[in-house]
Amino acid sequence: MLPYPSGDLHIGHAKNYTLGDAVARMMRMLGYNVLHPMGWDAFGLPAENAAIARGVDPAAWTTENILNMRRQIRLMGTGYDWTREIATCEPEYYRWNQWIFVRLREHGLVYKREAPVNWCPVDETVLANEQVIDGRCWRCSSRVQRRNLSQWFLKITAYADRLLDDLQCLDGWPERTRTMQRNWIGRSEGARVRFGVERLDEGIDVFTTRLDTLYGATFLAVAPEHPIVAALRRVVSPTQLSEMDAFAESLQSRSELERTGLMEKRGVFTGAHARNPLSGERVPIWLTNYVLAEYGSGAVMGVPAHDDRDFDFANRYGLPIARVVVPRAGEEPSADDAAYADDGLLVGSGDFSGMASAAARDAMAERLQKMAAGGPSVGYKLRDWLISRQRYWGTPIPIVYCDACGEVAVPDADLPVLLPPRNRMQEFLHTACPRCSGPARRESDTMDTFFESSWYFLRYLDPHNDAAPWSEEAARRWMNVDQYIGGAEHAVLHLLYSRFFYKFFHDRGWVTGTDEPFERLFHQGLVLRDGEKMSKSRGNVVGIDETAERYGIDAMRLFLLYVTPPEDTSNWTDEGISGRVRLLGRIWRASTALAVKRDGGIPHAESSEDKGLLRAVHVAAKSAIEETLSRRFHYNTTIAKLDELVNLMTAAASERPDSAALRYAIDTLPIVIAPFAPHIAEELWERQGHATSVHLAPYLTPDERLLATDEITLVVQVNGKVRARLQAPAGVSESRAAAMALDDPNIRAHLQGKQIRKRFYVPDRLLNFLA
């Protein structure tokens, strides 16, 4: 995942880039064509806020940060293809943001409407729902407010079913991430019910997954922002209208989380009533704080006997509680001190009484459909993606407003709409209509930065193309992304939006093959410092530059790959990194102890020590290959194998300096360590007289003959309990294994006085006596 150019990288960033670089280097050395690019997610609030605080231009601040971070990423020894580098704040890139926006709009996936939005008072901009975490801004953690603004939306809900259904195909993704997206989309089977409103032609639609409780609806809960409220103003009394206005005003500054989860459930009776379409009963209409206009239909039927939230609300305001579902046949309905929320048998529900809940839901939906008062329906938690931002540093939205022509998209030939200098905004806003040439006004909002990061990986394929965002030929060759590495915090933001964009591109024929952008996804863990999260305020941030200066980059890379499996949280300690420095010292000393005379083959080994050394070389290489091709990336196990190999080399250099096995190990070690410690590998390789880079050499192919062992450890059990571990020849027969076991004093002691009734043998692994 491309980084935000915040100014300085630390060890947490290095964990991501080191892992990806090791994978890329391994795949190249295994013979694959590898595209490993880098770019910058360069628009956004942090740059604008930092620039304002420093009195500089956001572009200058961003460029300065990119220069520094590029230097640091190069310092890490990463093998990126810098000819493909992109920055999303460059006109050459955001021109295609605007082009994609226009294409989405042409296909009915862009619209503008007034809506209650999440407003960050610190950053002074709108936030998408996915950017509000526990009622607070995802960037600055300030409490989010609600405001009504005219906003641009992308109709991601049009792809809800595909985004949900295709998750099952992403078996290369972490299950936790797929579950998060599944829950965020939140598809639910249910029914739509229309309640007619007395004295009005309009009705109120609700969506419910518990249609079987319809006869128990004793009130309707409506969001104060619901369109029906404007119609109700015509039929309610002045007193009730005043109470409604005051209630709505009290919620203006409340976030969605506060209204749905933190605040006490409150409401005000409108004085109006609706009619239950099946029972015909009058149902009072209430404005409530816990129903939101943007979720579902903005209204719910209150069934206090069978919903905990409705139960609390009904008790607070003295509303009726009508129990219409009971657990068992013959049980009388009663008003308990809690809601009964499970399925059961219907009572007090007209001719549906006696039916099981599931059957009643189907029958009621069918009747509502015949009455044109509802029917089966599907609901989603997912809402359309709000992309408007009231900030300067972002992609200008390519729309102009003309009194004669209305809302007009900027023609492709006039793209990009360039972001003007901050002091020329008024001049920028006044323009000519591209359709009639009359006076017009530009859209002043900019795009959410997640817009440009939802397709950037395609621009890497063709970064200098000025005729298209990417060539279809390049997309056919390279897409989809084989391996994507980044943080799990993007599960319902970047990763969901990218899937939406890619499916749209696939529908247009701009990409072929699968309509999913990322074949495999890996989330790296965090890096702590002595058990604490790194932050500037704590003064415990481990920087790239200081690490390179004090320990060296290869030591840093080996530590980050070795300390834990990459998906786990790592703990940076001075002791841990020092251990990797010592390993590099041992590698250097063992590899430069004698001149290498290469003959190109694996030498014959007579002694067990030399056989063990040759085997250790190939065990390490096999581990690296298996961890790469399996996509586990547990290079910590590979580096542990390297530790063992270097220990054997050190011993051989001291005890057997003329060993052919040692010469072979020295010769092959640069290849084995190259993906993980690229600098020392290159240095050792060059000292051996090679004219080309070690990173262009093929990786070592493990020799199965060397991997085979002459001896195995046989576990011996008596009645299922381990009583001995014996060294035995590989491939030992069951009878020979039993004879060896019976010669062992401990086995004889545990069998004394017992009769062996049966034995179980797993070749080369286990022998179990049942006695």
Side-chain angles (χ1 to χ4, degrees):
M1 293 183 186
L2 82 174
Y4 185 83
S6 56
D8 229 9
L9 295 177
H10 57 70
I11 291 298
H13 300 100
K15 182 175 181 178
N16 185 346
Y17 306 139
T18 297
L19 176 62
D21 189 64
V23 173
R25 290 181 183 276
M26 276 297 305
M27 294 300 285
R28 283 198 193 100
M29 296 179 78
L30 290 173
Y32 290 85
N33 290 326
V34 177
L35 176 54
H36 192 212
M38 176 50 70
W40 312 98
D41 188 10
F43 271 139
L45 284 171
E48 184 170 355
N49 290 343
I52 291 172
R54 292 165 174 79
V56 299
D57 182 69
W61 189 84
T62 301
T63 299
E64 181 181 332
N65 287 347
I66 288 175
L67 290 172
N68 183 55
M69 290 172 65
R70 185 193 298 130
R71 176 191 61 79
Q72 290 182 314
I73 288 177
R74 284 179 177 272
L75 183 63
M76 289 183 220
T78 50
Y80 293 118
D81 181 355
W82 290 101
T83 68
R84 298 175 182 269
E85 182 183 15
I86 61 171
T88 61
C89 64
E90 296 294 335
E92 294 80 9
Y93 183 91
Y94 70 72
R95 166 192 181 185
W96 300 110
N97 282 345
Q98 296 168 343
W99 183 88
I100 291 169
F101 176 93
V102 174
R103 301 290 86 77
L104 286 162
R105 184 172 178 270
E106 289 173 349
H107 288 86
L109 295 172
V110 173
Y111 65 93
K112 190 176 189 183
R113 66 177 174 85
E114 186 167 288
V117 296
N118 304 304
W119 178 262
C120 175
V122 173
D123 290 331
E124 295 184 327
T125 192
V126 168
L127 302 174
N129 296 306
E130 295 86 346
Q131 294 168 322
V132 179
I133 300 173
D134 295 333
R136 295 182 178 275
C137 173
W138 74 301
R139 283 200 183 275
C140 69
S141 297
S142 61
R143 187 164 291 283
V144 172
Q145 300 173 354
R146 298 288 286 172
R147 292 188 180 183
N148 277 333
L149 293 174
S150 184
Q151 302 288 297
W152 287 99
F153 291 84
L154 299 189
K155 200 172 184 181
I156 190 174
T157 52
Y159 283 74
D161 281 328
R162 287 171 62 184
L163 290 168
L164 179 65
D165 294 343
D166 291 350
L167 286 170
Q168 65 183 341
C169 305
L170 299 178
D171 51 14
W173 283 40
E175 181 55 35
R176 180 171 174 268
T177 300
R178 291 194 288 175
T179 298
M180 289 174 70
Q181 287 206 6
R182 201 174 286 121
N183 293 340
W184 188 262
I185 295 167
R187 187 179 193 272
S188 54
E189 304 278 347
R192 181 182 61 84
V193 184
R194 165 152 286 215
F195 287 78
V197 179
E198 293 180 352
R199 295 186 290 165
L200 288 177
D201 295 331
E202 296 91 334
I204 298 175
D205 287 341
V206 303
F207 173 81
T208 179
T209 59
R210 291 299 307 272
L211 186 59
D212 54 315
T213 65
L214 179 56
Y215 279 77
T218 61
F219 66 95
L220 285 182
V222 177
E225 304 88 359
H226 194 289
I228 195 66
V229 175
L232 291 177
R233 299 177 70 87
R234 303 197 302 265
V235 297
V236 301
S237 70
T239 300
Q240 287 159 333
L241 182 59
S242 176
E243 291 178 358
M244 290 164 58
D245 289 343
F247 182 73
E249 178 67 25
S250 71
L251 299 177
Q252 282 297 308
S253 63
R254 298 294 188 174
S255 69
E256 289 186 358
L257 178 67
E258 287 178 302
R259 287 177 56 174
T260 57
L262 302 180
M263 294 178 67
E264 190 175 23
K265 307 298 179 284
R266 295 174 47 243
V268 60
F269 177 44
T270 64
H273 289 79
R275 288 279 178 182
N276 187 314
L278 291 187
S279 70
E281 293 182 357
R282 298 179 83 217
V283 181
I285 302 171
W286 284 70
L287 301 189
T288 66
N289 61 350
Y290 64 86
V291 178
L292 304 174
E294 297 298 297
Y295 276 102
S297 65
V300 299
M301 62 181 198
V303 187
H306 304 290
D307 181 271
D308 291 330
R309 183 179 60 179
D310 297 342
F311 183 84
D312 293 341
F313 187 84
N315 277 324
R316 179 183 178 91
Y317 291 102
L319 297 171
I321 298 175
R323 192 173 183 195
V324 294
V325 178
V326 295
R328 293 169 294 277
E331 183 170 327
E332 290 296 320
S334 62
D336 293 336
D337 58 358
Y340 176 73
D342 295 333
D343 278 4
L345 296 176
L346 269 65
V347 295
S349 298
D351 53 357
F352 300 100
S353 296
M355 296 179 70
S357 287
R361 286 193 283 268
D362 292 339
M364 288 180 173
E366 183 178 355
R367 184 171 299 180
L368 287 170
Q369 198 162 29
K370 290 178 180 178
M371 297 168 58
S377 183
V378 176
Y380 300 90
K381 287 172 60 181
L382 179 69
R383 290 180 289 169
D384 285 337
W385 175 12
L386 189 159
I387 65 162
S388 288
R389 296 294 180 270
Q390 291 68 43
R391 296 303 295 241
Y392 165 75
W393 189 236
T395 298
I397 293 177
I399 294 290
V400 300
Y401 301 97
C402 172
D403 290 339
C405 304
E407 190 182 284
V408 181
V410 176
D412 292 353
D414 294 339
L415 299 179
V417 176
L418 293 172
L419 191 64
R422 289 181 65 90
N423 59 1
R424 299 181 64 181
M425 282 300 297
Q426 288 304 315
E427 180 181 337
F428 165 78
L429 293 175
H430 297 289
T431 187
C433 174
R435 188 174 295 167
C436 70
S437 300
R441 178 178 54 84
R442 290 192 189 277
E443 172 60 70
S444 59
D445 285 357
T446 54
M447 295 185 194
D448 179 8
T449 54
F450 280 104
F451 192 105
E452 49 253 27
S453 64
S454 295
W455 69 276
Y456 77 96
F457 42 89
L458 283 157
R459 188 61 177 171
Y460 283 141
L461 307 180
D462 208 3
H464 309 297
N465 190 336
D466 61 0
W470 64 86
S471 76
E472 294 178 19
E473 180 183 355
R476 277 193 299 273
R477 180 185 181 195
W478 286 108
M479 292 304 292
N480 58 3
V481 174
D482 295 276
Q483 184 65 61
Y484 203 34
I485 301 175
E489 67 272 16
H490 296 297
V492 294
L493 289 163
H494 162 62
L495 291 169
L496 184 63
Y497 296 155
S498 295
R499 295 181 61 220
F500 163 46
F501 269 38
Y502 201 77
K503 289 180 185 298
F504 172 72
F505 300 157
H506 191 273
D507 292 348
R508 308 282 76 76
W510 303 337
V511 294
T512 56
T514 178
D515 64 355
E516 288 287 344
F518 310 120
E519 185 74 16
R520 299 178 190 87
L521 174 67
F522 190 93
H523 296 313
Q524 83 282 358
L526 298 173
V527 181
L528 306 179
R529 172 76 180 272
D530 296 324
E532 289 188 335
K533 189 173 181 178
M534 282 186 263
S535 70
K536 292 180 180 179
S537 61
R538 289 193 180 101
N540 65 347
V541 173
V542 180
I544 301 299
D545 291 321
E546 65 181 86
T547 303
E549 180 67 27
R550 184 175 179 185
Y551 300 110
I553 288 297
D554 281 354
M556 179 197 77
R557 288 172 62 109
L558 287 172
F559 174 83
L560 292 170
L561 294 170
Y562 172 73
V563 65
T564 60
E567 67 272 23
D568 293 348
T569 296
S570 307
N571 188 33
W572 179 274
T573 63
D574 292 339
E575 181 183 355
I577 183 68
S578 296
R580 296 304 91 192
V581 173
R582 290 193 293 272
L583 172 63
L584 289 168
R586 294 201 308 274
I587 288 174
W588 183 261
R589 289 189 294 274
S591 299
T592 57
L594 68 162
V596 177
K597 299 175 182 178
R598 293 178 287 108
D599 59 14
I602 300 173
H604 176 69
E606 294 288 347
S607 68
S608 61
E609 290 83 2
D610 279 354
K611 287 179 181 179
L613 178 55
L614 292 177
R615 183 173 183 274
V617 173
H618 287 257
V619 165
K622 183 182 180 184
S623 174
I625 293 170
E626 287 181 346
E627 293 303 330
T628 302
L629 297 182
S630 69
R631 301 302 195 270
R632 286 190 304 265
F633 306 140
H634 284 191
Y635 294 131
N636 54 307
T637 62
T638 302
I639 296 170
K641 305 293 185 189
L642 288 173
D643 275 333
E644 296 170 10
L645 169 59
V646 174
N647 287 340
L648 292 175
M649 291 175 65
T650 301
S654 172
E655 301 164 5
R656 308 181 310 282
D658 294 330
S659 163
L662 174 59
R663 292 180 181 277
Y664 174 79
I666 292 172
D667 188 30
T668 54
L669 184 61
I671 289 176
V672 177
I673 67 173
F676 316 112
H679 302 91
I680 194 172
E682 191 77 290
E683 182 69 18
L684 292 173
W685 188 252
E686 183 181 353
R687 286 170 67 93
Q688 292 176 7
H690 296 281
T692 57
S693 170
V694 67
H695 302 290
L696 298 177
Y699 204 69
L700 178 64
T701 302
D703 190 304
E704 292 300 327
R705 294 170 302 170
L706 292 177
L707 293 171
T709 56
D710 296 331
E711 286 191 339
I712 54 93
T713 299
L714 182 68
V715 175
V716 184
Q717 297 177 334
V718 176
N719 293 332
K721 293 186 177 180
V722 176
R723 298 304 183 186
R725 287 182 170 85
L726 306 178
Q727 294 304 115
V732 64
S733 67
E734 180 178 353
S735 59
R736 175 65 182 141
M740 293 175 64
L742 293 173
D743 280 343
D744 183 84
N746 198 41
I747 297 298
R748 287 201 307 270
H750 281 91
L751 289 174
Q752 188 173 7
K754 298 186 176 80
Q755 180 183 356
I756 298 173
R757 297 186 177 277
K758 201 169 187 179
R759 70 186 184 209
F760 294 95
Y761 183 57
V762 180
D764 287 350
R765 295 181 62 187
L766 174 72
L767 176 65
N768 184 19
F769 292 106
L770 295 184

